[in-house]
Amino acid sequence: MDQERITHLRELESESIYVLREVAAQFERPVILFSGGKDSIVVTYLAYKAFYPAKIPFQLLHIDTGHNFQETIDYRDDLVKKLNADLIVGSVQESIDKGRVKEETGFYASRNRLQTTTLLDTLEEYKFDAAIGGARRDEEKARAKERFFSHRDEFGQWNPKNQRPELWNIFNGRKNMGEHFRVFPISNWTEMDVWQYIFLENIPMPSLYFTHKREVFNRDGQWLAALPVIPRKPTEEVVVKEVRCRTIGDITCTGLTESKAHTVADIIDEIAASRVTERGGRADDKRSETAMEDRKKAGYF
């Protein structure tokens, strides 16, 4: 990696650490939204660097759909132990059991959308006033509209037409009772930036990101994991492929990519040559043209 690229990554790192320290200064009860994906891992690592040698001053919040890859859960628990961090788990299954949300049925059923209610209920229960996420502006057109400090009203909803200006890195965290903020420290990073930073800092990653053999089936041109939580149509044949995840989420909507990338360096090369967007394999983004924005308005990540 050349010096110019390293300088670029250090500038991004500095910006993100500045945002995280602003969160610690302006809010009373901030929390990191931890999905076990690469972006939330990098945000957590940046928080570790921002406050070292002190303990990370934020708890970690994982919204568990109950349909997570086991590799994600194992990585999460191992990281929490290594960092001596405090973990809170919000359960979608509990939300279903309490009647707060209704389980979807059918071949395209997913618990991904149901996470919103569980997230908002958990933020309210613990009185969190800032939720730090790993969303980036390059991921999707709705996320491109976000500020670093993104205001949410008392119902946890986002209004993309009513956002506060952010000039000269001056962040306005003022809010009324019951409102909160979503904060996105790596907003200006790209997928390539994230992986090159992981390479530069030698950050351990979940095995799902690297090529492995897995039973999969093809649905609408997309490879999905052949696991019991995804009902298959009679015509959907299970085959074994060498695949990896580019993004990690609920099993039901996480597409898998055929790949030969066994190392972080391989992943960087693969991304450089790819003409498919990072979220091109996410089934939840294909439900409508405004799927992500609709979910975000309702209180999604």
Side-chain angles (χ1 to χ4, degrees):
M1 192 181 302
D2 61 43
Q3 188 58 47
E4 183 178 356
R5 191 63 190 168
I6 293 173
T7 299
H8 169 71
L9 293 173
R10 291 305 180 201
E11 288 173 350
L12 289 174
E13 177 189 65
S14 179
E15 177 183 64
S16 299
I17 286 176
Y18 174 80
V19 172
L20 288 163
R21 288 172 176 168
E22 278 292 300
V23 172
Q26 293 197 39
F27 297 100
E28 295 181 5
R29 292 277 295 161
V31 68
I32 292 176
L33 301 179
F34 187 84
S35 67
K38 67 184 182 309
D39 300 316
S40 65
I41 291 169
V42 167
V43 168
T44 304
Y45 181 82
L46 288 165
Y48 170 78
K49 289 195 76 173
F51 300 98
Y52 183 83
K55 181 180 176 180
I56 296 176
F58 316 124
Q59 292 175 295
L60 272 58
L61 171 58
H62 180 216
I63 302 302
D64 183 2
T65 67
H67 293 167
N68 294 292
F69 289 98
Q70 187 58 45
E71 294 93 332
T72 303
I73 301 301
D74 292 343
Y75 181 93
R76 179 200 70 186
D77 294 344
D78 184 56
L79 182 65
V80 166
K81 289 180 181 178
K82 285 181 178 178
L83 298 180
N84 190 29
D86 298 322
L87 174 68
I88 296 169
V89 178
S91 170
V92 171
Q93 184 62 56
E94 286 186 12
S95 297
I96 294 170
D97 294 342
K98 292 177 181 178
R100 292 285 293 142
V101 293
K102 184 178 179 180
E103 181 98 70
E104 294 182 2
T105 59
F107 291 114
Y108 293 89
S110 174
R111 289 186 173 183
N112 193 60
R113 183 182 60 83
L114 307 185
Q115 294 181 81
T116 299
T117 298
T118 307
L119 171 62
L120 294 176
D121 286 350
T122 308
L123 293 177
E124 173 63 25
E125 178 184 354
Y126 288 90
K127 305 302 179 186
F128 291 124
D129 55 359
I132 306 164
R136 308 185 323 269
R137 294 190 181 116
D138 77 314
E139 285 182 272
E140 202 273 341
K141 57 187 177 182
R143 286 182 166 170
K145 301 176 183 179
E146 290 276 20
R147 302 290 195 263
F148 280 103
F149 277 29
S150 185
H151 177 263
R152 297 298 195 269
D153 65 20
E154 61 184 313
F155 302 105
Q157 297 177 335
W158 172 64
N159 182 357
K161 295 181 179 180
N162 183 25
Q163 298 196 77
R164 300 174 181 181
E166 291 182 341
L167 306 173
W168 305 292
N169 288 338
I170 298 175
F171 303 123
N172 182 356
R174 284 177 290 184
K175 59 182 179 53
N176 296 318
M177 183 68 69
E179 299 174 345
H180 74 277
F181 276 79
R182 304 291 171 85
V183 181
F184 305 109
I186 62 171
S187 288
N188 287 337
W189 297 47
T190 65
E191 181 187 14
M192 180 63 82
D193 292 330
V194 169
W195 280 110
Q196 289 185 330
Y197 185 75
I198 290 167
F199 179 82
L200 181 65
E201 294 288 302
N202 195 27
I203 303 173
M205 299 301 291
S207 60
L208 287 168
Y209 280 115
F210 305 100
T211 296
H212 58 284
K213 287 186 177 180
R214 182 179 292 273
E215 290 188 340
V216 297
F217 66 95
N218 194 284
R219 174 175 291 171
D220 303 327
Q222 180 180 67
W223 293 111
L224 295 172
L227 294 171
V229 298
I230 311 180
R232 295 191 303 276
K233 302 174 185 178
T235 57
E236 293 174 333
E237 180 185 0
V238 175
V239 295
V240 176
K241 292 278 186 180
E242 288 193 336
V243 295
R244 74 175 191 88
C245 295
R246 278 184 75 178
T247 66
I248 295 177
D250 186 273
I251 291 172
T252 58
C253 61
T254 299
L256 299 163
T257 302
E258 290 189 74
S259 173
K260 297 292 184 181
H262 295 279
T263 66
V264 173
D266 291 340
I267 291 174
I268 291 170
D269 290 341
E270 187 176 89
I271 293 169
S274 177
R275 292 299 176 264
V276 178
T277 63
E278 178 183 1
R279 294 189 67 90
R282 290 296 294 263
D284 49 330
D285 286 354
K286 299 178 181 180
R287 292 196 169 196
S288 76
E289 289 187 2
T290 60
M292 174 63 81
E293 184 158 331
D294 292 341
R295 294 200 303 275
K296 288 179 69 64
K297 286 179 180 178
Y300 187 72
F301 301 111

